[in-house]
Structure formats: C-alpha cells, structure tokens
Amino acid sequence: MKINDSLIYVVEEPTSQKEFMRDKLSSRFIKSSIKYNNIFKNDVLSIRDTSLKKGDIIRVDFPDENPNGEVQHMDLDIVYEDRDILVINKPPNMVTHTSRGDMSNTLLNYTLGYFEEIGLKRKVRFVNRLDRDTSGLVIAAKNSFAHAMISEQFQNGVVKEYLAMVKGTPKDMIIEAPIARGEDGILREVREDGKYSKTSVKLLKSFREYSLVRLRLYTGRTHQIRVHMKHIGYPLLGDSLYSDDTTLERQALHSFKVIFNSPREGRVELTAKLPDDMKQLLRK
C-alpha cells in the first residue's frame, strides 16, 4: 500500500497514547485509524493505548482509497492547494456532487481526475458545495482528517463572501430574517417560524437597472442570499426560482472570498475571479 501523506507528531511530555490522540484528533478519525491499522509509534504499529514518553513519534497514515465516482479530466481553475486541501473556482452550470441524475461531468468527477494526475489515491470530500448555477470557491479535502477539521470551522462560522448582480440599487444593510422551507419543499421563504439567518449587503457599483453587490453570509441556510435579496426587493439577475428576470441564464451569484484555517498550513484567505457572464454585465 502506497502512503501519500501522514500526520506526524513528536511527544513533548509523558502521557498516554489515548490522551495524546484525543487532544489532537476527532474521535471519529481515531476510531477509523485504529480500525485500519494506521497508527504507528516510533514506526511500529500501535493501535492500543500505551504509555508515551518525551521524544516518541506518533505517525498516523492516510491510506489509499478507491475513487468515489467516475474519473474524468478537464482543466480546473485551482486557486489554492496544500497537503490537505484543494480549492477550486467552480464554473457556473456545473454540479458539485454526483447524484442519481448527475453521475458524470460534475466537479467531483473532474477533481478525481486531478487527483489521478498528481498520483493521489483518495476520495474527493467537499467541505462546502455550491448550486449548479452558482460559481466560485469550493474546498475539497484530500483526506478525512482535513475534511473533519475544516467542516467544523464552517459549522462555527468562517468568512464567506459573495458577489452578485441584483435588480435595482440596494443600500448597504444587514438583513436578519428567518428562513423556512416552502410548501413545495424546494423554495425557501422568509417566515417567522424559520431559522435565524443573517446576511450583510454592500453596494459596490450601480448601473441603470441593476447593481453589483458584495454579500457576506453569517449563517448558511439553503438559498439564503437569493431569499434575502428577494425579501428586500432586489432579487438576483437570472434567478428563475425567485424572480422572473432573464438577464442571464443562471442566477448572477459568485462565491468570491473565503477565510479559514488549513489544518497544517494555518490561515488561508482566498478570492476567485468572476466568470465571463458576470464580467460582461459589468462592461455594459
């Protein structure tokens, strides 16, 4: 079995292996590492609790994995990459994950192709996902350790900013309006019994009939930006679900910026360039 990467820790003070691992890793990841014999103490398999002394080296291997989808190849717009993650600027009109109706030509398929190109035998684990029509930053974890670490950050709140083209000219504001699932199970709506949702709006540029805005998500509800902007009277251009606008063939929404901590590299602040269809609107 070829090992592409490992976690390596040097013990700084006497302790038990159980306590040492619990301090560093999630319980789910520890159980999986024990199950598949991936924990080593001073290069010797060590999956049972044992005493550790200063200077001992604990290594946790990431084993090879079979791909979790069809492997396909295309040039990806890679914004950032390190040992644990790959961040891609997803184009519009591409599904992020495979599903029953989309088993090929998804971002997952093409990311598996990239993994194959660099010799990484792993599943693709997306930390976040975007709608088919939304473009921008998507984070793929290269191992289960990174997926768990960054997913936890997203649950606790990371900086997520979007660029959008909307009808009219909104003012800078904070929207705090609860969002609930609509009766059809697809549409969302602002409703008193919904979940707390918060979005900030900053006007960047105004045109005759539409504007470019910068939006920050403080919560992560389904369709949050689209619902909130419709709620205040400035729906997204091209959003067929929440308006009748046909300026674009998809909602003019782009995941522009994200700030988080990569597990072993620290703080990462990334931005993604606008796709061509939104750029063309800015030139008019």
Side-chain angles (χ1 to χ4, degrees), residues 149-160:
M149 294 284 285
I150 303 177
S151 294
E152 183 177 354
Q153 292 179 54
F154 268 71
Q155 291 173 3
N156 295 330
V158 299
V159 174
K160 294 178 289 184

Side-chain angles (χ1 to χ4, degrees), residues 177-181 188-191 193-197 221-225 227-228:
I179 293 176
R181 187 191 297 268
R188 267 61 176 177
E189 59 190 22
V190 170
R191 215 168 59 209
D193 63 342
K195 294 181 178 179
Y196 174 77
S197 306
R221 310 304 176 202
T222 300
H223 297 175
Q224 178 174 320
I225 287 174
V227 173
H228 271 175

Side-chain angles (χ1 to χ4, degrees), residues 37-275:
N37 297 326
N38 291 330
I39 303 174
F40 296 82
K41 170 186 171 183
N42 301 325
D43 292 328
V44 177
L45 181 66
S46 180
I47 58 173
R48 298 184 182 277
D49 192 21
T50 183
S51 297
L52 300 179
K53 63 180 184 297
K54 183 178 180 179
D56 282 342
I57 297 176
I58 296 295
R59 189 184 85 233
V60 185
D61 288 338
F62 300 129
D64 289 347
E65 297 174 318
N66 293 322
N68 53 336
E70 178 187 354
V71 179
Q72 295 179 284
H73 296 268
M74 74 169 289
D75 289 335
L76 296 175
D77 183 2
I78 296 172
V79 179
Y80 176 83
E81 182 176 11
D82 63 28
R83 292 174 290 177
D84 294 305
I85 62 171
L86 180 73
V87 184
I88 303 158
N89 183 12
K90 184 185 85 68
N93 308 312
M94 179 183 289
V95 174
T96 303
H97 264 290
T98 54
S99 63
R100 182 173 297 180
D102 294 285
M103 296 303 294
S104 61
N105 302 316
T106 71
L107 188 63
L108 184 142
N109 299 118
Y110 297 127
T111 304
L112 284 171
Y114 179 74
F115 281 5
E116 183 178 77
E117 291 169 13
I118 64 174
L120 185 65
K121 297 182 179 180
R122 298 276 167 70
K123 297 177 180 179
V124 171
R125 297 173 171 89
F126 289 121
V127 176
N128 64 320
R129 67 176 67 191
L130 300 177
D131 293 339
R132 177 196 297 266
D133 292 342
T134 302
S135 57
L137 295 168
V138 177
I139 304 168
K142 292 182 175 180
N143 51 66
S144 57
F145 161 72
H147 184 261
M149 294 284 285
I150 303 177
S151 294
E152 183 177 354
Q153 292 179 54
F154 268 71
Q155 291 173 3
N156 295 330
V158 299
V159 174
K160 294 178 289 184
E161 294 187 356
Y162 289 72
L163 295 176
M165 307 292 293
V166 301
K167 296 181 72 172
T169 307
K171 298 178 180 179
D172 293 357
M173 67 178 74
I174 299 290
I175 307 169
E176 292 182 279
I179 293 176
R181 187 191 297 268
E183 292 183 2
D184 65 357
I186 299 174
L187 290 173
R188 267 61 176 177
E189 59 190 22
V190 170
R191 215 168 59 209
E192 288 186 1
D193 63 342
K195 294 181 178 179
Y196 174 77
S197 306
K198 180 179 178 181
T199 308
S200 70
V201 182
K202 182 176 179 58
L203 177 65
L204 296 182
K205 188 173 182 179
S206 179
F207 300 83
R208 179 173 297 178
E209 297 179 352
Y210 56 85
S211 301
L212 174 67
V213 295
R214 186 167 180 165
L215 306 137
R216 179 171 176 179
L217 287 179
Y218 293 88
T219 52
R221 310 304 176 202
T222 300
H223 297 175
Q224 178 174 320
I225 287 174
R226 300 162 71 183
V227 173
H228 271 175
M229 294 311 293
K230 176 189 177 182
H231 175 67
I232 64 171
Y234 303 96
L236 271 61
L237 299 186
D239 190 346
S240 60
L241 275 181
Y242 295 99
S243 79
D244 57 1
D245 183 82
T246 57
T247 304
L248 288 183
E249 294 181 355
R250 56 107 179 183
Q251 68 263 12
L253 184 62
H254 178 69
S255 176
F256 164 70
K257 183 176 182 178
V258 66
I259 303 174
F260 62 97
N261 289 315
S262 184
R264 288 180 281 180
E265 301 300 327
R267 188 177 188 271
V268 176
E269 180 175 341
L270 303 170
T271 58
K273 62 184 180 183
L274 277 173

